[in-house]
């Protein structure tokens, strides 16, 4: 049988190429699918690994939280035990305080009874002494014309009796929030029973009484005998505007209490050191600080739970919004509207003469705060020491007090008081220096300014270490000052605001008012402009901020330029006026040391050896003065092997023998001044008595 080939149409035939293409497509699809599956598997694997890591971290955190919880449980148990112990100690402390208060109360009552008995015994003797003193009291005619060398010779004083009480009610209200504080001021007259304007020995001239507060069972009357006054003994310093004899001024202070509120104010007494039993006692505590016209406390803030009584000063407390208020505030606050100091002191007027004796009158300005007053005492004692040197040109000293009332140094330092421009500075203000220029201007209108041909203006933290050279007494039109490196002779804002004074390339002397030696006639020209420029640079806030704490110095420099008084300036050691240890290395030609810088001494290994800084002397800047003055230990002796050096603020730090000697000179002169002074201000027996006039 013959073989026959089966016929297939062309459309059903598969060529090798087509088969190959199909195979390739299949392979590619398979590979793609495999890659997709592999990628997905890899991604899932990574997610699984990440999840495992997060699980491990979560487990670690859980263990840490478990440990923390256990620690907190132990701490809580320990804290509970500690709080129980604290509660027991507090109860014991309260019981002890109660016993102490009762003991003090009994002692005070006994002391008061003894004082009253003693007063009765001595009343006849005191009256006899007063009669004798009044009969012997006299004032030489023409006292104003005494030579400058003897103008401080007379000794007399103006006395007063001051009574301050706090407590009681107002308008019949018995609510303790309406407790009133009353201050009575009685000035003794020159009559037989109460004259105090007499000469005499220490303790026989003046009596000051602080009577106890009605709601203070442990307070007692304090009677202070005050000695002769350095200010009242000089006819040119005596305030002619003193209240007339037997004048009595009564001031009622209402507490204005408000519960669940906390008032603003600058702190004048820390509440943690002034606990009080209730809000009324806190109010009375504030009122007591205003005894004798002090105007030191206008706001009181009482903690209803912690019993803390914070005393503050705010110039216009009735206009201030509370810092915090509401049912959740556990404070009760109140304020006083303090009386304004309106009595202007009056002194013998200047005659305008220009032919004063050729000598140097030292003037020192102060607002009488605690910090400046201990410095003032040291400064004045150093003046007394070196003014007594044979041939010294220093013949007069006046402290110019810009304050609304007298203070505790009136009896010790010759003082003239002028009301401040900023009345709030009697309590607290941020820049009391702004009042000094006006006070100096007012002083120049008094006869006291005509004692000498020249005036040297000093600061409270200056100390005189020798009598100055007569060459500092320059002719009219010329003055001598100290060049301060931080003062600019062409301060940009002043040059812009006062272009007329800088015309022709003129510049200000880069100095300040202290220390400066100026002819008295020239100072009459400078001072009014100085006060004007102080006022004009205090008002615009942007200028006030730009000039900062030296704006009073710039006002003086501008006044010197405007008045045409040329100032010869120099720095240490060429300066005839001042050196500043430890910044300066030698005294040079100076007669004043300025202790604005604190000194710290270390050895070469930075081991601390010695320190003194005015800011930490006594009770510091914010303690309750006056302070009992104490001597300062001397710095270590020079020893080259020790490698003495200063604090890192000074570069280079290494001390030299001359720099160390300058520091030692400052401390030696300071201690000499302290030894010349009574430990407390003249005229007082105790610090507590002196604080009645702070």
């Amino acid at each position: 049988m013959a073989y026959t080939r089966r016929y297939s149409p062309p459309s059903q035939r598969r060529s090798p190429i087509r088969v190959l293409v199909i195979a390739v497509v299949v392979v590619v699809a398979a590979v793609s699918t495999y890659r997709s599956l592999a990628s997905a598997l890899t991604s899932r694997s990574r997610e699984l690994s990440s999840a495992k890591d997060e699980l491990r971290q979560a487990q670690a955190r859980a263990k840490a939280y478990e440990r923390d919880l256990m620690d907190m449980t132990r701490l809580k148990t320990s804290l509970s035990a500690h709080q129980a112990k604290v509660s027991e100690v507090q109860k014991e402390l309260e019981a002890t305080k109660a016993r102490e208060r009762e003991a003090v109360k009994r002692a005070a009552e006994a002391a008061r009874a003894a004082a009253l008995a003693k007063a009765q015994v001595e009343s006849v003797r005191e009256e006899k002494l007063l009669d004798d003193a009044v009969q012997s009291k006299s004032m030489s005619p023409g006292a104003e014309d005494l030579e400058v060398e003897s103008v401080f010779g007379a000794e007399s004083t103006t006395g007063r009796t001051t009574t301050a009480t706090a407590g009681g009610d107002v308008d019949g209200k018995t609510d303790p929030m309406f407790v009133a504080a009353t201050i009575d001021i009685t000035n003794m007259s020159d009559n037989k029973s109460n004259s105090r304007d007499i000469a005499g020995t220490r303790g026989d001239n003046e009596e000051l009484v602080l009577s106890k507060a009605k709601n203070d069972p442990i307070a007692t009357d304090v009677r202070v005998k005050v000695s002769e006054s350095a200010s009242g003994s000089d006819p040119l310093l005596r305030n002619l505007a003193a209240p007339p004899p037997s004048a009595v001024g009564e001031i009622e202070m209402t507490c204005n209490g408000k519960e669940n509120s906390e008032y603003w104010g600058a702190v004048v007494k820390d509440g943690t050191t002034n606990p009080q039993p209730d809000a009324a006692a806190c109010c009375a505590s504030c009122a007591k600080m205003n005894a004798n016209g002090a105007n030191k406390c206008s706001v009181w803030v009482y903690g209803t739970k912690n019993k803390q009584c914070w005393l503050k000063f705010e110039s216009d407390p009735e206009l201030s919004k509370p810092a915090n208020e509401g049912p959740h505030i556990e404070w009760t606050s109140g304020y006083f509207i303090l009386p304004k100091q309106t009595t202007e002191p009056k002194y013998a007027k200047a005659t305008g003469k220009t032919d004063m004796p050729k000598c140097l009158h030292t003037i020192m300005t102060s607002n009488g705060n605690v910090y400046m007053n201990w410095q003032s005492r040291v400064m004045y004692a150093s003046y007394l020491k070196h003014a007594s040197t044979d041939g010294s040109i220093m013949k007069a000293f006046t402290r110019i007090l810009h304050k609304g009332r007298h203070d505790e140094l009136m009896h010790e330092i010759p003082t003239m008081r002028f009301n401040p421009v900023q009345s709030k500075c009697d309590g607290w203000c941020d820049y009391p220096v702004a009042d000094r220029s006006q006070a100096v201007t007012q002083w120049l209108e008094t006869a006291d300014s005509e004692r000498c041909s020249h005036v040297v203006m000093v600061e409270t933290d200056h100390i005189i270490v020798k009598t100055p050279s007569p060459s500092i007494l320059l002719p009219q039109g010329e003055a001598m000052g100290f060049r301060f490196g931080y003062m600019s002779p062409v301060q940009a804002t002043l040059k812009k605001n006062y272009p007329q004074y800088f015309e022709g390339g003129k510049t200000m002397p880069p100095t300040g008012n202290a220390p400066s030696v100026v002819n008295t006639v020239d100072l009459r020209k400078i001072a009014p402009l100085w006060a004007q420029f102080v006022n004009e640079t205090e008002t615009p806030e942007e200028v006030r901020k730009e000039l900062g704490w030296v704006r009073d110095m710039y006002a003086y420099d501008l006044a010197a330029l405007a008045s045409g008084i040329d100032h010869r300036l120099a720095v240490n050691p060429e300066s005839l006026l001042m050196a500043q240890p430890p910044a300066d290395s030698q005294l040079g030609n100076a007669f004043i040391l300025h202790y604005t810088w604190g000194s710290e001494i270390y050895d070469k290994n930075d081991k601390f050896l010695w320190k003194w800084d005015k800011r930490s002397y006594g009770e510091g800047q914010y303690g309750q003065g006056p302070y009992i003055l104490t001597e300062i230990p001397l710095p270590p002796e020079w020893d080259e092997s020790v490698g003495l050096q200063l604090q890192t603020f000074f570069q280079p730090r290494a001390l030299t023998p001359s720099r160390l000697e300058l520091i030692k000179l400052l401390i030696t002169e300071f201690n000499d001044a302290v030894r010349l002074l009574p430990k407390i201000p003249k005229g007082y027996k105790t610090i507590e008595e002196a604080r009645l006039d702070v």
Side-chain angles (χ1 to χ4, degrees), residues 572-586:
N572 180 268
E574 288 76 22
S575 173
L576 294 174
L577 301 183
M578 185 174 73
Q580 303 183 97
D584 292 330
S585 60
Q586 57 182 301

Side-chain angles (χ1 to χ4, degrees), residues 92-325:
E92 184 178 349
L93 180 61
E94 289 298 326
T96 301
K97 287 183 177 180
R99 290 193 296 271
E100 290 179 351
R101 285 194 295 267
E102 184 63 27
V104 171
K105 179 180 178 181
R106 291 195 298 269
E109 291 174 349
R112 187 182 183 193
L116 290 174
K118 184 178 180 181
Q120 292 175 350
V121 172
E122 293 184 351
S123 60
V124 176
R125 183 180 64 84
E126 287 188 358
E127 184 173 338
K128 177 66 168 59
L129 288 174
L130 289 173
D131 281 341
D132 295 343
V134 171
Q135 292 172 5
S136 64
K137 172 188 170 185
S138 64
M139 180 181 297
S140 301
E144 293 82 2
D145 298 326
L146 292 175
E147 294 294 330
V148 283
E149 288 84 353
S150 59
V151 76
F152 292 110
E155 292 184 350
S156 63
T157 187
T158 300
R160 69 204 177 283
T161 295
T162 302
T163 303
T165 64
D169 55 18
V170 178
D171 298 331
K173 299 177 182 178
T174 58
D175 188 334
M177 296 308 301
F178 290 92
V179 173
T182 303
I183 298 177
D184 300 327
I185 301 175
T186 305
N187 289 278
M188 295 300 187
S189 63
D190 284 336
N191 57 38
K192 183 175 181 178
S193 63
N194 60 8
S195 174
R196 291 295 182 268
D197 190 14
I198 59 175
T201 59
R202 181 181 180 89
D204 291 336
N205 299 341
E206 189 171 348
E207 185 176 73
L208 186 150
V209 181
L210 178 64
S211 65
K212 74 173 184 177
K214 295 179 181 178
N215 64 344
D216 189 347
I218 66 172
T220 185
D221 290 354
V222 179
R223 294 179 177 269
V224 184
K225 293 288 187 179
V226 180
S227 70
E228 65 274 5
S229 168
S231 303
S233 64
D234 190 323
L236 299 189
L237 299 178
R238 189 171 298 142
N239 183 0
L240 304 177
S246 301
V248 178
E250 183 175 286
I251 303 169
E252 281 195 350
M253 293 185 175
T254 304
C255 291
N256 295 304
K258 183 178 180 181
E259 295 180 344
N260 304 117
S261 62
E262 181 182 3
Y263 288 178
W264 289 107
V267 174
V268 294
K269 179 170 283 190
D270 189 323
T272 61
T273 64
N274 186 36
Q276 297 294 338
D278 52 39
C282 184
C283 171
S285 178
C286 184
K288 289 177 183 178
M289 294 191 71
N290 299 318
N292 202 21
N295 282 7
K296 295 174 66 176
C297 180
S298 61
V299 173
W300 54 272
V301 180
Y302 179 71
T304 53
K305 286 191 174 181
N306 58 27
K307 306 297 182 183
Q308 294 177 6
C309 176
W310 291 81
L311 306 184
K312 305 180 180 182
F313 180 86
E314 181 73 15
S315 56
D316 296 300
E318 70 276 16
L319 303 179
S320 300
K321 294 182 179 180
N324 292 293
E325 60 181 338

